[in-house]
Amino acid sequence: MINPNTTQAMTDTIAKCAAAVAGPEVTLTGVTSEIGPESIESHYDEALAVPGVLRAIQRGEQEGVDGYVIACFGDPGLEAAREIAAGPVIGIAEAAMQAASHLGRGFSIITTLARTIGQSAHLAERYGMQRFCRGIHACEIPVLDLDRDPNARKVITEACRDAIEADRSDAVVLGCAGMADMCGEISAELGVPVVDGVSAATLTVQSLVTMGLRTSKRGEYATPPVKRYLSGVPPAG
Amino acid sequence: MINPNTTQAMTDTIAKCAAAVAGPEVTLTGVTSEIGPESIESHYDEALAVPGVLRAIQRGEQEGVDGYVIACFGDPGLEAAREIAAGPVIGIAEAAMQAASHLGRGFSIITTLARTIGQSAHLAERYGMQRFCRGIHACEIPVLDLDRDPNARKVITEACRDAIEADRSDAVVLGCAGMADMCGEISAELGVPVVDGVSAATLTVQSLVTMGLRTSKRGEYATPPVKRYLSGVPPAG
Amino acid sequence: MINPNTTQAMTDTIAKCAAAVAGPEVTLTGVTSEIGPESIESHYDEALAVPGVLRAIQRGEQEGVDGYVIACFGDPGLEAAREIAAGPVIGIAEAAMQAASHLGRGFSIITTLARTIGQSAHLAERYGMQRFCRGIHACEIPVLDLDRDPNARKVITEACRDAIEADRSDAVVLGCAGMADMCGEISAELGVPVVDGVSAATLTVQSLVTMGLRTSKRGEYATPPVKRYLSGVPPAG
Amino acid sequence: MINPNTTQAMTDTIAKCAAAVAGPEVTLTGVTSEIGPESIESHYDEALAVPGVLRAIQRGEQEGVDGYVIACFGDPGLEAAREIAAGPVIGIAEAAMQAASHLGRGFSIITTLARTIGQSAHLAERYGMQRFCRGIHACEIPVLDLDRDPNARKVITEACRDAIEADRSDAVVLGCAGMADMCGEISAELGVPVVDGVSAATLTVQSLVTMGLRTSKRGEYATPPVKRYLSGVPPAG
Amino acid sequence: MINPNTTQAMTDTIAKCAAAVAGPEVTLTGVTSEIGPESIESHYDEALAVPGVLRAIQRGEQEGVDGYVIACFGDPGLEAAREIAAGPVIGIAEAAMQAASHLGRGFSIITTLARTIGQSAHLAERYGMQRFCRGIHACEIPVLDLDRDPNARKVITEACRDAIEADRSDAVVLGCAGMADMCGEISAELGVPVVDGVSAATLTVQSLVTMGLRTSKRGEYATPPVKRYLSGVPPAG
Amino acid sequence: MINPNTTQAMTDTIAKCAAAVAGPEVTLTGVTSEIGPESIESHYDEALAVPGVLRAIQRGEQEGVDGYVIACFGDPGLEAAREIAAGPVIGIAEAAMQAASHLGRGFSIITTLARTIGQSAHLAERYGMQRFCRGIHACEIPVLDLDRDPNARKVITEACRDAIEADRSDAVVLGCAGMADMCGEISAELGVPVVDGVSAATLTVQSLVTMGLRTSKRGEYATPPVKRYLSGVPPAG
């Protein structure tokens, strides 16, 4: 479980949610990225988060990890990670949308800031989930306020309620790893399935590993060619 | 595990493959349809298989089954089944294609008779998997010959090899429940991931049940309105 | 003219509308399905209606029928019917949408219950008519109330009026065979073309037969392979 | 029946094919355009043919014509014609592709010169028929040679045969009004349905008129605003 | 700079806007069409404007012009023009949408009369810009009133403001050559980029000429085949 | 002109090609990235190149640069760059494909290694250029061998020739900044337009700056929120 931002509290939430669903034979490790932003709310943040994700994967490979979850709804670095990992790598947006596609004809996504809507839309297209995704809505709570703002859960619940009405949706996808622990309550209140990507991605990796399926090394995701890299500290805010 | 055709031997293969991947806490039951064709190789077969699938679901509901796999690559009756089941219902085409979408940029499907290619293409579109599906190819072995024809595995392996070359694919999806037990060998021979929908669907249902996710009853998949039905024996070949 | 549900009154409406447009050289026969639901308002209903449609086609083939209309807006069993019929088989959704595509840049569909919107959307996609279909709206009148509810015509007219405003549409498609006899009045009141699929499908079959065009037996719609079928009474509500 | 080019012999072929399918109550008139190119094989030809088509429509309106067929596979001037005609206007490409969409999962188009392939592809997209159109192939016979070249029919038959093999198509659409009289023979030889747009468009107009359906005057196809036009002889080759 | 309508005042506006951005080495000539309507607000107008555009191109070819801008937002005659011109030909809709695609995730188009919305939508699709175009809105000011109506700029500014709110757009495209000189002011007032197609197309032609890029004469845009044309004065309103 | 890899020789080629087309009023500066791989041939390379691109942009902003070209065909970091730059930022893939879209109905892309085909396909989709892009082909020459391998130009020319035949394309796009100086010769030899993204992007930036158009700061590309970043040296090969 790789948390692509550098905030340990969020890693803890992620690891807890993953542990709640993983099978008894699974050993889960939550890793906080060591390079990059404290939260990911822009393409800039995402770009600077990716090197930390890749370093975490490289360490995992040395330790023989079977598979990885990238636990940020922008799925940062997913393709590069697939090139360097032997086992499967799954993003939480990918897994959440696929799970929601089984539950009805269409779902809505509730994301944090409106500026991230474009990235969610882009991922919906990439994963073929555009036809199920009926709307993406922002609750306008910054990532790090999700567990600091006492009203967060209420605001998000209302955003979900509005979304299923406006989009005529059957289900909701929560568009941030920091919302992972809110699923049950919101679902109970609204009477529709609410999908958390952290759980979904954990179980997708577990399923692929169980089936012995790994990223194909035949084409685009083959191990990258070896070459010289100039080291250097990347820019910050 | 619902086998939509009436051939018990195929149910046995399906149940075995499912059991090989299901978690220790899962109770699996293989059910052979009691109405309809011995194998499904046309829209006509599929149409006549659906009532048997629905009856199996209705019995499952009475027994409190948590979720269902429809184990035929045409995913017959999937939407009707979702209306009448409380828990999740997953088709093997749906699950196989989603699993393959994690393993590379594109996959090929190897199906039985060429006349079923259209249905696979249709499902790829419905599930949003068209963008990953680079080709659908028939091995021209009828369903019931899959375990009778001693050359079947060889012919299918060659069809897979040709497909990944022609389509520049990273992975293969086997397009018939009757091929479920061939995955490992073909994958080992060709060096690419080979996905069996029976395993994939079993684990998808298991994952959804673990997360407490069920078909939304808010919209299109709500319980159907009660009404009068005229009984009658459907047509046959 | 096959009415896929088991309600004779609806067959009468359908036959009357078809007769009003068919050429003098055409012999029309309205057939009520003998198996299945009294009306079709769910995927479950549709699945159980298909065997009756297929039996009607098989009888038609024995009688040398030249072509068939499936007179339910879900076009149930269309593909299976094409496999077993020699002449053309046309669904009313298909024919209505194609006719409407000639009359303007975009049309709206008015359907019965909201739960059928998904199926209409699905058919619009299958027939390539998605780009003309600007909206699908439910009047929330159940099929069998269409001729029992004295307000039905008024409610549907208002739904049409709202739809062409909201969707900026040029034409309306009535999304149920049971609305077939309302076209003229609604069109007169709203000043836009209103398309009834029963008439449209009747004339499409007539046109194809006139041109000597039949379903191709070369590929997917070839006669299905002969095989054993287990008889059995399908489930009911 | 408007022949958008200025070659009378082609109008005769068109009128003959239309007459062979039209109902007894229909009065057909073939009109040869009085302005523009002798055949249409480029966007330039098409652009210069449109004014003649529009003039023919204007005359038809004065005479109270019920509907129009534009008998060139590029469907030149179709949208402008719909603005100025009260009754329906149908292009032969539009009608042929829709008819072929009922006959199988996919069709191939055989056109004259390769340079017209793009326009056919464009029309397939506009009419939503792209999903049925599996390939467009040129026989490389110029329009005016279709009835002068003694080998034309043979060359076109072979092009059809190659196309259905290469595209795995179920049916063929002949992509030029000048091929209208070849349908029967080619179909008989190849054993697949072969669609001629002239017949198909004639029957589509007849069907729409029978149903009382006309172009909607509510939106884009409303009568154009009156304004000043500078007369002038358009350019030639 | 070809103004496809016959109104000289509009040519002057176009030429002025083009001159404001063209490089010092560029010689610009504004040409008013000599055949057709005084403004283009329907498919009919557009069809009758095309011959004048083509004549202007033919004269340009005789004079050795390097490239052409078709300065009407419907891009009338673009494909025919490409066939007969040696250098590049660019429409202002095409250029404006491409420019706007660089400035944000989505843009809105403000056009003149609502009846032209369909053509703009069609062009957005043809140029692949549909995914950037979030909405097309009419200000309902006829083309020739754009510089006669003292409120025009204000009405258009408000239409732009409403559009970016309703569509959540990042930029605006002005959908008429007659609006070309309003960009700066509207952009300053609304705080978003506002794109004028006349400037954009001028610079696109200039860029292509600088790179030595011309329309490919290999395929569809090769010089049209020579043939006989019947001269004749086209119809008018 | 930002060269996203760390190879100075490639920056020189890029700067030379850009200078050959830029207007006299433009000051061009070529910048070699200071962090990351020596060439970009995988998602992993691309991910590690992005921080260097962003640092170059940040320096440019301090120096008041008007606009930027990202001179690698994967357009790495384009969206993040747009968030932090005031002026326009253009990728060479984006600019090349748009330029090629004006020159014919379809183009082919010739890229370096086959493993980069997926990224080019992805960009074609993102920019709406998929409908123009008829094929993407690899010449299998690694980036750094483009100017070391004496046969490179010949191999690439043959790849272009094969591509336009196989794809029936009208034009070619060279899919690597390292091929920028080969355009003229290949075009002369093959007789079709050959587009280099470096020139195209240079002129696109120049055009946007001339028109006063900058990235919209209203939505997704607004300046990123300020936050804490953990510094750290990213991973290497």
Side-chain angles (χ1 to χ4, degrees):
Chain A
M1 310 299 306
I2 301 170
N3 173 14
N5 71 37
T6 54
T7 299
Q8 179 64 33
M10 218 159 137
T11 313
D12 297 342
T13 302
I14 290 164
K16 202 181 65 184
C17 291
V21 296
E25 72 288 4
V26 177
T27 308
L28 279 170
T29 316
V31 173
T32 307
S33 179
E34 295 174 7
I35 315 173
E38 60 187 335
S39 66
I40 300 178
E41 295 167 331
S42 65
H43 295 289
Y44 182 77
D45 289 347
E46 191 173 311
L48 296 186
V50 169
V53 171
L54 298 180
R55 174 179 284 179
I57 301 262
Q58 286 170 334
R59 292 211 179 126
E61 290 301 288
Q62 288 162 0
E63 294 162 13
V65 168
D66 286 322
Y68 304 86
V69 168
I70 299 180
C72 164
F73 205 78
D75 292 358
L78 183 60
E79 299 201 297
R82 283 183 175 158
E83 290 177 331
I84 61 173
V89 187
I90 300 292
I92 65 170
E94 183 184 24
M97 294 189 212
Q98 283 197 352
S101 78
H102 302 304
L103 308 173
R105 260 310 245 240
F107 58 77
S108 300
I109 299 175
I110 302 301
T111 182
T112 53
L113 305 188
R115 66 179 301 148
T116 70
I117 289 176
Q119 177 66 3
S120 292
H122 174 221
L123 293 179
E125 181 181 47
R126 277 213 99 161
Y127 303 142
M129 293 293 117
Q130 219 173 8
R131 51 190 294 126
F132 297 101
C133 179
R134 294 198 173 159
I136 309 175
H137 308 267
C139 63
E140 294 298 357
I141 301 175
V143 172
L144 296 184
D145 287 355
L146 286 172
D147 65 352
R148 290 194 291 224
D149 180 342
N151 284 320
R153 194 161 309 201
K154 188 149 164 295
V155 170
I156 292 168
T157 305
E158 289 318 302
C160 290
R161 192 192 309 274
D162 293 349
I164 54 182
E165 280 305 317
D167 300 343
R168 303 182 61 95
S169 284
D170 302 320
V172 173
V173 167
L174 297 183
C176 179
M179 303 175 184
D181 53 353
M182 301 181 186
C183 267
E185 270 183 49
I186 299 177
S187 178
E189 183 155 347
L190 300 183
V192 297
V194 177
V195 182
D196 150 46
V198 174
S199 316
T202 303
L203 291 171
T204 302
V205 170
Q206 177 182 312
S207 296
L208 293 171
V209 170
T210 301
M211 290 187 281
L213 292 172
R214 305 164 146 235
T215 302
S216 177
K217 291 295 167 184
R218 188 177 183 277
E220 191 174 332
Y221 298 132
T223 306
V226 176
K227 59 187 58 166
R228 280 184 306 132
Y229 289 80
L230 278 193
S231 273
V233 178
Chain B
M1 311 298 306
I2 301 170
N3 174 14
N5 72 37
T6 54
T7 300
Q8 180 62 35
M10 218 160 137
T11 312
D12 297 343
T13 302
I14 291 164
K16 203 182 66 185
C17 290
V21 296
E25 73 289 4
V26 177
T27 309
L28 279 170
T29 316
V31 174
T32 307
S33 179
E34 295 174 7
I35 314 172
E38 61 188 334
S39 66
I40 300 178
E41 294 167 331
S42 64
H43 295 289
Y44 181 77
D45 290 345
E46 190 173 312
L48 296 185
V50 169
V53 171
L54 297 180
R55 174 177 284 178
I57 302 261
Q58 285 170 334
R59 291 209 182 128
E61 289 303 287
Q62 288 162 359
E63 295 162 12
V65 168
D66 286 324
Y68 304 86
V69 168
I70 299 180
C72 164
F73 205 79
D75 292 357
L78 183 60
E79 299 201 298
R82 283 184 175 158
E83 290 178 330
I84 60 173
V89 187
I90 300 293
I92 65 171
E94 183 183 23
M97 294 190 211
Q98 283 197 353
S101 78
H102 303 303
L103 308 173
R105 262 306 247 241
F107 58 77
S108 300
I109 298 176
I110 302 301
T111 182
T112 53
L113 304 189
R115 67 178 301 147
T116 70
I117 289 175
Q119 176 66 3
S120 293
H122 174 220
L123 293 178
E125 182 182 48
R126 275 212 99 161
Y127 302 142
M129 293 293 117
Q130 217 172 9
R131 50 191 293 125
F132 297 100
C133 178
R134 295 197 172 161
I136 308 175
H137 307 268
C139 65
E140 295 298 356
I141 301 176
V143 172
L144 296 183
D145 287 355
L146 286 171
D147 65 353
R148 290 194 291 224
D149 179 343
N151 283 321
R153 195 161 307 199
K154 187 147 166 294
V155 169
I156 292 168
T157 305
E158 289 318 302
C160 292
R161 192 193 309 274
D162 292 350
I164 54 182
E165 279 306 318
D167 301 342
R168 306 183 60 95
S169 285
D170 303 320
V172 174
V173 167
L174 296 183
C176 179
M179 303 175 183
D181 53 352
M182 302 182 185
C183 267
E185 271 185 48
I186 299 177
S187 179
E189 182 155 347
L190 300 184
V192 297
V194 177
V195 182
D196 150 46
V198 174
S199 317
T202 303
L203 290 171
T204 302
V205 170
Q206 176 182 312
S207 296
L208 293 171
V209 170
T210 301
M211 290 187 281
L213 293 171
R214 305 163 146 237
T215 302
S216 177
K217 290 296 166 184
R218 188 176 183 278
E220 190 175 334
Y221 299 132
T223 306
V226 175
K227 59 186 58 167
R228 280 182 309 131
Y229 289 81
L230 279 193
S231 273
V233 178
Chain C
M1 311 298 305
I2 301 170
N3 173 13
N5 72 36
T6 56
T7 300
Q8 179 64 34
M10 220 161 135
T11 313
D12 296 342
T13 302
I14 291 164
K16 202 181 66 184
C17 290
V21 297
E25 73 289 4
V26 176
T27 308
L28 279 170
T29 315
V31 174
T32 307
S33 180
E34 296 173 6
I35 315 172
E38 60 187 336
S39 66
I40 300 178
E41 294 167 330
S42 64
H43 295 289
Y44 182 76
D45 289 347
E46 190 173 312
L48 296 185
V50 170
V53 171
L54 298 180
R55 173 179 285 177
I57 302 260
Q58 285 170 334
R59 291 208 181 128
E61 290 301 287
Q62 288 161 359
E63 295 162 11
V65 168
D66 286 323
Y68 304 87
V69 168
I70 298 180
C72 165
F73 206 79
D75 292 359
L78 183 61
E79 299 201 298
R82 283 183 175 158
E83 290 178 330
I84 61 173
V89 188
I90 300 292
I92 65 171
E94 183 185 24
M97 294 189 211
Q98 283 197 353
S101 78
H102 302 304
L103 307 174
R105 262 309 245 240
F107 58 78
S108 301
I109 298 175
I110 303 300
T111 183
T112 51
L113 305 188
R115 66 180 299 148
T116 70
I117 289 175
Q119 177 66 3
S120 292
H122 175 220
L123 292 180
E125 181 182 48
R126 277 213 98 160
Y127 302 142
M129 292 294 116
Q130 219 173 7
R131 52 192 290 126
F132 297 100
C133 179
R134 294 197 173 161
I136 308 175
H137 307 267
C139 64
E140 294 298 358
I141 301 176
V143 172
L144 296 183
D145 288 354
L146 286 172
D147 66 352
R148 290 194 291 223
D149 179 344
N151 284 321
R153 193 161 309 199
K154 189 150 164 293
V155 170
I156 292 168
T157 304
E158 289 318 302
C160 291
R161 193 192 310 274
D162 293 349
I164 55 182
E165 280 306 318
D167 301 342
R168 304 182 62 96
S169 284
D170 303 320
V172 173
V173 167
L174 296 183
C176 179
M179 302 176 184
D181 53 352
M182 302 181 185
C183 268
E185 270 184 48
I186 300 177
S187 178
E189 184 157 345
L190 300 184
V192 298
V194 178
V195 182
D196 150 46
V198 174
S199 315
T202 303
L203 291 171
T204 303
V205 170
Q206 177 182 312
S207 295
L208 293 171
V209 170
T210 300
M211 290 187 281
L213 293 171
R214 305 162 147 237
T215 302
S216 178
K217 290 296 165 183
R218 189 177 183 277
E220 190 174 332
Y221 299 133
T223 306
V226 176
K227 59 186 58 165
R228 280 183 307 131
Y229 290 80
L230 279 192
S231 273
V233 179
Chain D
M1 312 298 307
I2 301 170
N3 173 13
N5 71 37
T6 55
T7 300
Q8 180 63 35
M10 217 160 137
T11 312
D12 298 342
T13 303
I14 290 164
K16 203 181 65 185
C17 289
V21 296
E25 74 287 5
V26 177
T27 308
L28 280 169
T29 315
V31 174
T32 307
S33 179
E34 295 174 7
I35 314 171
E38 60 188 336
S39 66
I40 300 178
E41 294 167 330
S42 64
H43 295 289
Y44 181 77
D45 289 347
E46 192 174 311
L48 296 185
V50 169
V53 171
L54 298 180
R55 173 178 285 179
I57 302 262
Q58 286 170 334
R59 292 208 180 129
E61 289 302 286
Q62 289 161 359
E63 295 162 11
V65 168
D66 287 322
Y68 303 87
V69 168
I70 299 180
C72 164
F73 205 78
D75 292 357
L78 183 61
E79 298 201 298
R82 284 185 173 156
E83 290 177 331
I84 61 173
V89 188
I90 300 293
I92 65 171
E94 183 184 24
M97 294 190 211
Q98 283 197 353
S101 78
H102 302 304
L103 307 174
R105 263 304 249 239
F107 58 77
S108 300
I109 298 175
I110 301 301
T111 183
T112 52
L113 305 188
R115 67 180 299 148
T116 70
I117 289 175
Q119 177 66 2
S120 292
H122 173 221
L123 293 178
E125 181 182 48
R126 276 212 99 161
Y127 303 142
M129 293 294 115
Q130 218 173 8
R131 51 192 290 125
F132 297 100
C133 179
R134 295 198 171 159
I136 308 175
H137 307 268
C139 64
E140 294 297 356
I141 301 175
V143 172
L144 296 182
D145 287 356
L146 286 172
D147 66 351
R148 290 194 292 224
D149 179 343
N151 284 321
R153 195 161 309 198
K154 189 149 164 293
V155 169
I156 292 168
T157 305
E158 289 317 302
C160 291
R161 193 192 308 276
D162 293 350
I164 54 183
E165 280 305 318
D167 301 341
R168 302 182 64 94
S169 284
D170 302 321
V172 173
V173 167
L174 296 183
C176 178
M179 303 175 183
D181 54 352
M182 302 181 185
C183 267
E185 270 184 49
I186 300 177
S187 178
E189 184 156 346
L190 300 183
V192 298
V194 177
V195 182
D196 151 45
V198 174
S199 315
T202 302
L203 290 171
T204 302
V205 170
Q206 177 182 314
S207 295
L208 293 171
V209 170
T210 300
M211 290 187 282
L213 293 171
R214 304 162 148 237
T215 302
S216 178
K217 289 296 165 183
R218 189 176 183 277
E220 191 175 332
Y221 299 132
T223 306
V226 176
K227 60 185 59 166
R228 281 184 306 131
Y229 290 79
L230 279 193
S231 272
V233 179
Chain E
M1 311 298 305
I2 301 170
N3 173 14
N5 71 37
T6 55
T7 299
Q8 180 62 35
M10 219 160 136
T11 312
D12 297 341
T13 302
I14 291 164
K16 202 181 66 184
C17 290
V21 296
E25 74 288 5
V26 177
T27 308
L28 279 170
T29 316
V31 173
T32 307
S33 179
E34 295 174 6
I35 314 173
E38 60 188 335
S39 66
I40 300 178
E41 294 166 332
S42 64
H43 295 289
Y44 181 77
D45 289 346
E46 190 173 313
L48 295 186
V50 169
V53 171
L54 298 181
R55 174 178 285 176
I57 302 261
Q58 286 170 334
R59 292 211 180 125
E61 290 301 288
Q62 288 161 1
E63 295 162 13
V65 168
D66 287 323
Y68 304 87
V69 168
I70 298 181
C72 164
F73 205 77
D75 292 358
L78 182 61
E79 299 201 298
R82 282 182 175 160
E83 290 177 332
I84 60 173
V89 188
I90 300 292
I92 65 170
E94 182 183 24
M97 294 190 211
Q98 284 196 352
S101 79
H102 302 304
L103 307 174
R105 263 304 248 242
F107 58 77
S108 300
I109 298 176
I110 302 301
T111 181
T112 53
L113 305 188
R115 66 179 301 147
T116 69
I117 289 175
Q119 177 65 4
S120 292
H122 174 220
L123 293 179
E125 182 182 47
R126 277 213 98 162
Y127 303 142
M129 293 293 116
Q130 219 173 7
R131 51 191 293 126
F132 296 101
C133 179
R134 295 198 172 160
I136 308 175
H137 307 267
C139 64
E140 294 298 358
I141 301 175
V143 172
L144 296 183
D145 287 355
L146 286 171
D147 65 353
R148 291 194 290 224
D149 179 344
N151 284 321
R153 194 162 308 201
K154 188 149 165 295
V155 170
I156 292 168
T157 305
E158 289 319 302
C160 291
R161 191 192 310 273
D162 293 349
I164 56 181
E165 279 307 317
D167 301 342
R168 305 182 61 97
S169 283
D170 302 320
V172 174
V173 167
L174 296 183
C176 180
M179 303 176 184
D181 53 353
M182 302 182 185
C183 267
E185 271 184 48
I186 299 177
S187 178
E189 184 156 346
L190 300 184
V192 298
V194 177
V195 182
D196 150 46
V198 174
S199 316
T202 303
L203 291 171
T204 302
V205 170
Q206 177 182 312
S207 295
L208 294 171
V209 170
T210 301
M211 290 187 281
L213 293 171
R214 305 164 147 236
T215 303
S216 176
K217 290 297 166 183
R218 189 178 182 276
E220 190 175 333
Y221 298 132
T223 306
V226 176
K227 58 186 59 166
R228 281 183 307 131
Y229 290 80
L230 279 193
S231 273
V233 178
Chain F
M1 311 297 307
I2 301 170
N3 173 13
N5 71 38
T6 54
T7 300
Q8 180 62 37
M10 217 159 137
T11 313
D12 297 342
T13 302
I14 290 165
K16 201 181 67 184
C17 290
V21 296
E25 73 288 5
V26 176
T27 308
L28 279 170
T29 315
V31 173
T32 307
S33 178
E34 296 174 6
I35 314 172
E38 61 187 336
S39 66
I40 300 178
E41 294 167 332
S42 64
H43 295 289
Y44 181 77
D45 289 347
E46 192 173 311
L48 296 186
V50 170
V53 171
L54 298 180
R55 175 178 284 177
I57 302 262
Q58 286 171 334
R59 292 208 181 128
E61 289 302 288
Q62 289 161 359
E63 294 162 14
V65 168
D66 286 323
Y68 304 86
V69 169
I70 300 180
C72 164
F73 205 78
D75 292 358
L78 183 60
E79 298 200 299
R82 283 182 175 159
E83 291 178 330
I84 60 173
V89 188
I90 300 292
I92 64 170
E94 182 183 25
M97 293 190 212
Q98 283 197 352
S101 78
H102 302 303
L103 307 174
R105 258 314 242 239
F107 58 78
S108 300
I109 298 175
I110 302 300
T111 182
T112 52
L113 305 188
R115 66 179 301 148
T116 70
I117 289 175
Q119 176 66 2
S120 293
H122 174 220
L123 292 179
E125 181 181 47
R126 275 212 99 161
Y127 303 142
M129 293 292 117
Q130 218 173 8
R131 50 191 295 125
F132 297 101
C133 178
R134 294 197 172 159
I136 308 174
H137 308 266
C139 65
E140 294 297 357
I141 301 176
V143 172
L144 296 184
D145 287 355
L146 286 172
D147 66 352
R148 291 194 287 225
D149 179 343
N151 283 321
R153 193 162 309 201
K154 188 148 166 294
V155 169
I156 292 168
T157 304
E158 288 318 302
C160 291
R161 191 192 308 273
D162 293 350
I164 56 182
E165 280 306 318
D167 301 342
R168 304 182 62 95
S169 285
D170 303 320
V172 174
V173 167
L174 296 183
C176 179
M179 303 175 184
D181 53 352
M182 302 181 186
C183 267
E185 270 184 49
I186 299 177
S187 178
E189 183 154 347
L190 300 183
V192 298
V194 178
V195 182
D196 151 45
V198 174
S199 316
T202 302
L203 290 171
T204 302
V205 170
Q206 177 182 312
S207 296
L208 293 171
V209 170
T210 301
M211 290 187 282
L213 292 171
R214 304 162 148 238
T215 302
S216 177
K217 290 296 165 184
R218 188 177 182 277
E220 190 174 333
Y221 299 133
T223 306
V226 175
K227 59 186 59 167
R228 281 183 307 131
Y229 290 81
L230 279 193
S231 273
V233 178

